[in-house]
């Protein structure tokens, strides 16, 4: 991984963390409900964990596949999947559906996993993961040790991404809970879904361009 | 089409919502009792500086007859900001309007011309029936769909009644909501404590118990609803049922606290068969975690001469208050109680929900009194304050006067008429607005039921964030 790729993974993590729908708002709501800062802080790790699981699955699969299949095939196929998924997100009016708000930590992690998966959070890392050169000396070493180790490097990427996501999420949650208040949502809750979907289509096209 | 920023009528907390700008229009359900002409949504101008203030300024006629419009609601509301399944970029623009008698549901778009809303979709009785239900009643914009309560089953006019869910965006009928209904059979109203995953339902009667009028044998036999049901909103299953006692006939309107950190609410009981009184109860969490109910307001019947009473009431020699609707202000400070029989709208300070204090009263109509509106002192009014709607800032209260076609005819046999009144609320003041009284021919001979205010009102939205 180059510094540029690491920065991209972290940047996407921060982007995911900023989205109120990805979890920090849920943490804030739970804390406001109980009038308790500890509830806020305790809600964040399960949300990050659910996000990690969702992203890690995609990252591990992509990295492991890249180690045994020509990287450009993975890149082109993955890029196409990403474009299609992005267009679907952009054009479909479907909302994530979930009725409950009183969740245990485990359920909260599950909620975060589903929310992240439904939004294709892991797919968004594809350009970074697929662009990791498999023919290079370092990557060649990974390839030589086969899919398991390559998958591990994918997990590492997902981990870094999630740390950045957690940092952005925690910052938003604490700022809104302690200082700003939820009224900010009325003006500042930008339609991330639309932007998100557009980013996906762009990332997919970029992946294809880079690997074709 | 979604928006870039949240719909400006969505508010995270009740306090934010109470600071909302005043409504400029009100939408009123209007129906033809004879079922010969189409029902309609009437649009009323509520902007005081307007030339047409207090007048009907628009009509949306329906394509069918015999719907009997009753309650209706918005496609989306402040619950769209709830963090478990947020969709804050949808618009509050469609009125979901059920025909209580026909089981048809209309989706009406208010966006392009708010004074001339357009029907964009019809859900046929058969389509709605696919949920297993008929006679759709209450609409609430839920976290994961639009919830519709219904009085009866889809086959024979009996029970069980329950809740159906419509898709948020297509408005297609998704199906029955309940996974496990236990012994719940009668249905009427529902609402929820969203952040607690609690849904509450009340009981009236099945279609065959109500559609041809109140049935005295059923009433005296204590057969109408007298229970409240508490459900797990996430698991869609019945968790607890509380019986108020079978003399308390018809537990109708449910008004939970808007503050999502509180778990209490008010329910109105139409009539006690023991003394014709009406009552208001509070449901609340007890120390054990179960819900309990406590009666907090009793409204006695008023004695009357037999010749002043309709045949249905002559054996009793008294007018029952008939509390048919209640509404709780967005700040949870005031409860408004409609006494449709005696012709009175009462205002209670319920800042302590267990000890309400009556602080205001307005009289209009009534079975015996027929109190006129101050601006039309020569017109004796039929009907009484019935559906009551409070503006988000709590400063204006709107009341219409029809209860339900066949019941209107029993209690006001000489005709119920049609009127919409507005009460202005300021601290220590609760008085009728002399300039606002659309009535009679203004409603084209239709009767008027629920009022909905543009941008939302005190019974339309749920909030997931407590006011700090």
């Amino acid at each position: 991984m180059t510094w540029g790729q690491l920065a991209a993974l972290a940047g996407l993590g921060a982007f995911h963390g900023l989205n109120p729908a990805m979890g920090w708002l849920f943490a804030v709501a739970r804390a406001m409900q109980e009038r308790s800062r500890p509830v806020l802080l305790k809600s964040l790790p399960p949300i990050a964990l659910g996000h990690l699981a969702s992203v890690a699955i995609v990252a591990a699969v992509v990295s492991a596949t890249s180690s045994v299949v020509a990287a450009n095939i993975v890149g082109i196929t993955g890029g196409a999947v990403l474009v299609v998924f992005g267009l679907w997100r952009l054009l479909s009016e479907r909302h994530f559906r979930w009725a409950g708000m009183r969740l245990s930590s485990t359920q909260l992690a599950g909620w975060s996993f589903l929310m992240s998966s439904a939004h294709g959070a892991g797919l968004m890392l594809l350009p970074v993961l697929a662009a990791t050169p498999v023919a290079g000396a370092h990557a060649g070493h990974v390839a030589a040790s086969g899919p398991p180790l390559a998958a591990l490097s994918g997990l590492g990427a997902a981990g870094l991404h999630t740390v950045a996501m957690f940092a952005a999420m925690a910052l938003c949650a604490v700022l809104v809970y302690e200082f700003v208040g939820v009224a900010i949502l009325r003006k500042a809750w930008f339609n991330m879904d639309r932007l998100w979907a557009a980013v996906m289509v762009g990332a997919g096209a970029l992946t294809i361009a880079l690997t074709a | 089409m979604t928006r870039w920023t949240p719909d400006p009528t969505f508010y995270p907390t009740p306090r934010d919502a109470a600071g909302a700008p005043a409504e400029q229009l009100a939408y009123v359900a209007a129906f033809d009792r004879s079922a010969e002409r189409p029902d309609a949504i009437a649009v009323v101008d509520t902007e005081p500086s307007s030339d047409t203030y207090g007048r009907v300024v628009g009509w949306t006629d329906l394509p069918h007859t015999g719907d009997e419009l009753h309650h209706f609601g918005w496609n989306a509301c402040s619950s769209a900001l709830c963090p478990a399944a947020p969709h804050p970029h949808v618009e509050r623009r469609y009125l979901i309007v059920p025909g209580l008698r026909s089981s048809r549901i209309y989706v009406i778009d208010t966006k392009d011309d708010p004074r001339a809303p357009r029907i964009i979709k019809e859900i046929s009785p058969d389509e709605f029936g696919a949920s297993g239900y008929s006679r759709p009643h209450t609409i609430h914009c839920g976290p994961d769909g639009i919830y519709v309560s219904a009085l009866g089953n889809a086959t024979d006019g009996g029970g069980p009644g329950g809740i159906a869910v419509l898709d948020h965006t297509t408005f297609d009928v998704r199906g029955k909501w309940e996974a496990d209904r236990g012994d719940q059979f009668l249905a009427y109203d529902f609402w929820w404590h969203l952040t607690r995953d609690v849904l509450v339902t009340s009981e009236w009667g099945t279609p065959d118990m109500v559609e041809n009028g109140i049935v005295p044998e059923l009433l005296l036999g204590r057969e109408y609803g007298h229970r409240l049901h508490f459900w797990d909103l996430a698991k869609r299953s019945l968790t607890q049922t509380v019986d108020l006692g079978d003399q308390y006939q018809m537990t109708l309107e449910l008004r939970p606290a808007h503050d999502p950190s509180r778990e209490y609410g008010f329910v109105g009981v139409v009539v006690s068969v023991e003394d014709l009184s009406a009552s208001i109860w509070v449901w609340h969490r007890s120390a054990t975690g179960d819900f309990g109910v406590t009666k907090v307001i009793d409204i006695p019947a008023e004695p009357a001469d037999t010749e002043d009473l309709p045949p249905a009431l002559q054996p009793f020699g008294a007018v029952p208050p008939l509390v048919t609707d209640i509404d709780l202000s967005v700040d949870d400070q005031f409860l408004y109680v409609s006494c449709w029989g005696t012709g009175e709208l009462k205002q209670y300070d319920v800042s302590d929900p267990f000890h309400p204090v009556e602080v205001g009263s307005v009289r209009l109509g009534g079975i015996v009194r027929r109190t006129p509106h101050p601006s039309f002192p020569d017109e004796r009014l039929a009907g009484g304050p019935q559906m009551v709607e409070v503006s988000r800032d709590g400063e204006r209260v709107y009341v219409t006067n029809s209860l339900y076609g066949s019941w209107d005819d029993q209690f006001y046999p000489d005709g119920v008429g049609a009127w919409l009144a507005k009460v202005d609320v300021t601290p220590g003041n609760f008085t009728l607005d002399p300039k606002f009284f659309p009535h009679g021919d203004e409603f084209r001979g239709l009767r008027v039921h629920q009022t909905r205010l543009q941008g939302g009102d005190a019974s339309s939205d749920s909030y997931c964030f407590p006011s700090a």
Side-chain angles (χ1 to χ4, degrees):
Chain A
M1 292 253 167
T2 64
W3 283 110
Q5 285 172 318
L6 295 176
L9 286 170
L12 282 169
F15 177 59
H16 290 175
L18 283 175
N19 187 346
M22 281 295 118
W24 67 257
L25 188 59
F26 209 156
V28 167
R30 287 159 60 93
M32 286 176 76
Q33 181 75 26
E34 310 297 333
R35 293 190 162 74
S36 153
R37 187 185 309 155
V39 169
L40 180 79
L41 302 176
K42 273 191 230 152
S43 301
L44 296 172
I47 293 170
L49 210 61
H51 188 82
L52 173 66
S54 172
V55 170
I57 289 173
V58 176
V61 167
V62 170
S63 303
T65 314
S66 297
S67 69
V68 288
V69 179
N72 57 352
I73 295 179
V74 176
I76 291 166
T77 313
V81 168
L82 192 51
V83 170
V84 169
F85 191 81
L87 285 172
W88 175 74
R89 292 287 321 169
L90 202 55
L91 301 173
S92 94
E93 294 268 304
R94 286 194 48 221
H95 299 305
F96 180 71
R97 287 217 309 263
W98 182 285
M101 275 188 73
R102 284 179 70 83
L103 309 183
S104 66
S105 292
T106 313
Q107 289 170 318
L108 192 58
W111 170 86
S112 174
F113 173 80
L114 289 175
M115 189 64 138
S116 302
S117 303
H119 282 79
L123 281 176
M124 225 185 273
L125 306 192
L126 213 108
V128 185
L129 299 167
T132 306
V134 181
H138 169 72
H141 157 75
V142 172
S145 38
L149 206 57
L152 211 58
S153 86
L155 290 182
L160 171 69
H161 167 88
T162 302
V163 168
M165 181 261 181
F166 182 83
M169 177 172 75
L171 183 69
C172 288
V174 170
L175 278 178
V176 170
Y177 182 74
E178 296 288 351
F179 305 106
V180 183
V182 283
I184 184 87
L185 294 171
R186 300 190 62 240
K187 295 274 190 291
W189 194 341
F190 187 67
N191 192 337
M192 288 251 186
D193 281 5
R194 250 193 227 179
L195 185 68
W196 186 283
V199 167
M200 278 192 173
V201 175
L206 185 72
T207 311
I208 294 169
L210 286 176
T211 52
Chain B
M1 213 31 220
T2 53
R3 299 167 41 91
W4 279 111
T5 53
D7 186 300
T9 69
F10 297 166
Y11 293 89
T13 72
R15 181 175 303 158
D16 294 330
E23 63 285 349
Q24 296 189 310
L25 294 173
Y27 296 97
V28 183
F31 72 98
D32 178 42
R33 172 64 182 132
S34 69
E36 288 165 2
R37 295 161 47 212
D39 298 350
I41 294 286
V43 187
V44 177
D45 186 343
T46 60
E47 170 53 51
S49 63
S50 160
D51 291 345
T52 48
Y53 175 64
R55 312 297 295 270
V56 180
V57 292
W59 287 95
T60 300
D61 290 313
L62 303 182
H64 301 278
T65 55
D67 287 315
E68 183 144 3
L69 295 195
H70 197 71
H71 290 224
F72 59 113
W74 293 103
N75 66 304
C77 60
S78 299
S79 67
L81 301 175
C82 291
H87 42 281
H89 305 104
V90 299
E91 296 174 293
R92 184 202 304 264
R93 65 184 281 186
Y94 304 104
L95 290 168
I96 314 295
V97 184
L100 183 58
R101 203 166 275 270
S102 66
S103 302
R104 201 176 278 110
I105 300 179
Y106 300 91
V107 180
I108 301 181
D109 187 354
T110 64
K111 187 181 178 181
D112 295 336
D113 184 353
R115 294 174 175 232
R118 230 166 13 97
I119 298 167
I120 59 136
K121 185 182 173 86
E122 267 183 47
I123 299 168
S124 73
D126 285 346
E127 286 173 77
F128 185 69
S131 65
Y133 294 126
S134 68
R135 283 70 166 199
H137 187 273
T138 305
I139 305 285
H140 280 301
C141 16
D144 56 334
I146 298 167
Y147 289 51
V148 184
S149 71
L151 300 182
N153 65 36
T155 49
D156 62 3
I163 294 172
V165 182
L166 310 182
D167 188 87
H168 258 314
T169 45
T170 62
F171 308 118
D172 290 336
V173 179
R174 284 222 311 265
K176 182 177 293 204
W177 174 77
E178 298 85 351
D180 175 9
R181 64 163 9 101
D183 73 343
Q184 175 268 324
F185 187 76
L186 300 178
Y188 179 70
D189 197 15
F190 77 99
W191 214 351
W192 40 50
H193 297 292
L194 270 186
T195 58
R196 295 297 180 184
D197 296 351
V198 172
L199 181 139
V200 190
T201 66
S202 64
E203 298 186 334
W204 185 21
T206 52
D208 51 16
M209 295 167 71
V210 304
E211 285 191 336
N212 299 318
I214 188 168
V215 183
E217 295 74 29
L218 292 176
L219 182 69
L220 298 174
R222 307 183 176 203
E223 301 280 330
Y224 288 101
H226 45 85
R227 304 192 299 172
L228 289 187
H229 303 280
F230 298 89
W231 307 72
D232 184 318
L233 181 63
K235 296 197 178 87
R236 298 181 288 123
S237 59
L238 183 71
T239 49
Q240 194 194 342
T241 295
V242 178
D243 196 329
L244 278 60
D246 65 7
Q247 70 269 37
Y248 296 107
Q249 288 286 287
M250 296 178 252
T251 47
L252 295 190
E253 300 288 338
L254 302 168
R255 303 294 177 223
H258 295 86
D259 179 344
S261 64
R262 306 295 302 273
E263 283 181 287
Y264 71 89
F266 298 94
V267 55
V269 173
V270 177
V271 64
S272 160
V273 291
E274 289 185 343
D275 57 6
L276 296 189
S277 66
S279 50
I280 307 290
W281 302 59
V282 172
W283 74 78
H284 50 91
R285 279 262 197 214
S286 63
T288 60
D290 282 346
F291 281 97
V293 287
T294 305
K295 185 161 66 167
V296 292
I297 297 171
D298 249 318
I299 303 172
E302 295 180 358
D305 291 336
T306 305
E307 63 267 21
D308 292 338
L309 292 168
L313 291 174
Q314 281 173 354
F316 303 103
V319 184
L322 301 178
V323 166
T324 48
D325 192 24
I326 61 176
D327 207 13
L328 180 63
S329 61
V330 171
D331 61 8
D332 298 333
Q333 294 299 295
F334 294 103
L335 185 74
Y336 297 90
V337 176
S338 279
C339 304
W340 186 69
T342 44
E344 185 181 15
L345 178 69
K346 290 173 175 281
Q347 180 194 33
Y348 292 89
D349 180 333
V350 289
S351 42
D352 175 355
F354 292 96
H355 301 94
V357 180
E358 187 174 345
V359 290
S361 160
V362 158
R363 287 205 174 262
L364 277 176
I367 290 169
V368 172
R369 292 174 184 264
R370 306 290 168 124
T371 311
H373 191 279
S375 301
F376 299 88
D378 302 332
E379 296 184 33
R380 296 176 79 241
L381 293 179
Q386 207 283 104
M387 285 312 292
V388 50
E389 200 48 75
V390 183
S391 64
R392 290 170 295 180
D393 58 12
E395 293 176 6
R396 295 165 304 286
V397 179
Y398 299 85
V399 282
T400 51
N401 76 318
S402 161
L403 173 63
Y404 180 56
S406 50
W407 295 43
D408 292 343
D409 300 346
Q410 287 172 300
F411 291 99
Y412 293 92
D414 52 336
V416 79
W419 46 264
L420 166 64
K422 169 176 171 260
V423 184
D424 290 316
V425 183
T426 50
N429 179 48
F430 189 65
T431 50
L432 284 160
D433 178 347
K435 296 200 191 71
F436 190 102
F437 192 61
H439 65 292
D441 292 343
E442 280 212 68
F443 289 113
R444 300 180 173 176
L446 303 178
R447 300 182 187 182
V448 286
H449 199 71
Q450 188 168 35
T451 304
R452 282 280 174 219
L453 306 181
Q454 192 180 36
D457 48 55
S459 70
S460 64
D461 285 46
S462 327
Y463 307 91
C464 279
F465 303 90
S467 309

